[in-house]
Amino acid sequence: MRKLPLFILLYLLQAVAWGQQVPLPEGRFNRDFAQLGELLQYTLVHRHPATQEVILPDSSQSFAPFEFVSKRYYPTYTRGGISTDSAVYTLRTFEIYPVQELALPVLVLQGQDTIQVKAQADTLQLKQLVSKVIEPLQFKTDTALVPVEERFNWPIVVVWMAAAFVFFSLVWLTFGQTIKTKYKLYRLRKDHVYFASRYTSHVDRFVKSGSSQSMEKAVSLWKNYLTKLEKSAINSFTTKEIVRFYHDNEDVNTALRLCDKAIYGNLLTEADKETQDALVQLRTFARSRYKTQREVTNNARNKR
């Protein structure tokens, strides 16, 4: 029992020594009053010997009765053997206590020991916005309409697009081949009408003027039209190759040779009857090939 006072005395002396070696940090709010939920800053500053290592609180620390929002640390500043560590914490409170306080701790590392020292508590007063409540509460009635911005209804648009896709898919599966055939027949007719109009125009110029250029344009137009109609490079064929392509058709052979003779032989002085008949034969042959292609297109549709 005599040793007990000595132990207490040694403990107190050690505590005093620790207290002298580890200064207390300083913590302050940036204001004395705050409203409920309002953001406020709490600054924590700790000055200590440069040889000491300290750790300031992070987001895992309890800030009750306050809530942690964010933090901002500053680099350690050392002067005259004294280092300064500081941080600013952004907090807020939703507690309704009139007076609230906070004292954040700092961890000091000394060898294998860790000491926690706290700043003196700083208080904050909560502003009371409602001083008197009248019972029963009076509700304010407001029946005026408030304009609301119209929002684009994307779900309805998606549903309509999906329905349209399904509808057109069914239409295409049911009538797709018919539509394709009708379009091909339309293109065939349109191309033939265009060819017949321009070909007749060149022939008329040839009949009136007897110019070999008009005949050459008519023959070139004929070859280009059959190239598109037959899907073959007829416009690059010679007369002999064209006749062979059409299985030695006598009308084509006779008409093309007469035209070649008039164009390349410089024997044409006027639009004679024989040359006019050759151009007519070429037009008749083009019309027959057009009718054949229409029949082929129709037969392909019927087979399917």
Side-chain angles (χ1 to χ4, degrees), residues 28-42 58-70 89-104 121-127:
R28 294 287 184 273
F29 287 107
N30 66 331
R31 66 186 71 174
D32 297 328
F33 298 88
Q35 296 180 9
L36 199 68
E38 184 179 12
L39 295 180
L40 54 108
Q41 276 74 43
Y42 178 89
D58 58 9
S59 58
S60 62
Q61 175 67 38
S62 173
F63 294 85
F66 300 91
E67 291 185 1
F68 174 82
V69 177
S70 64
Y89 302 88
T90 300
L91 310 174
R92 61 186 174 187
T93 181
F94 292 98
E95 299 293 340
I96 59 175
Y97 307 126
V99 179
Q100 301 178 28
E101 64 179 25
L102 179 65
L104 289 183
D122 190 28
T123 59
L124 180 77
Q125 294 187 16
L126 194 65
K127 289 183 179 180

Side-chain angles (χ1 to χ4, degrees), residues 222-224 226-227 230-238 242 245-246:
W222 180 84
K223 291 181 179 179
N224 290 332
L226 289 181
T227 295
E230 308 285 5
K231 294 181 176 57
S232 183
I234 295 176
N235 55 1
S236 64
F237 291 174
T238 61
I242 295 175
F245 180 83
Y246 286 113

Side-chain angles (χ1 to χ4, degrees), residues 217-259:
K217 290 180 179 179
V219 174
S220 177
L221 178 65
W222 180 84
K223 291 181 179 179
N224 290 332
Y225 171 69
L226 289 181
T227 295
K228 186 175 182 180
L229 184 67
E230 308 285 5
K231 294 181 176 57
S232 183
I234 295 176
N235 55 1
S236 64
F237 291 174
T238 61
T239 297
K240 186 176 181 180
E241 290 172 338
I242 295 175
V243 173
R244 189 183 304 129
F245 180 83
Y246 286 113
H247 309 290
D248 297 325
N249 184 283
E250 187 62 30
D251 292 339
V252 173
N253 184 30
T254 302
L256 287 179
R257 293 189 181 281
L258 286 173
C259 292

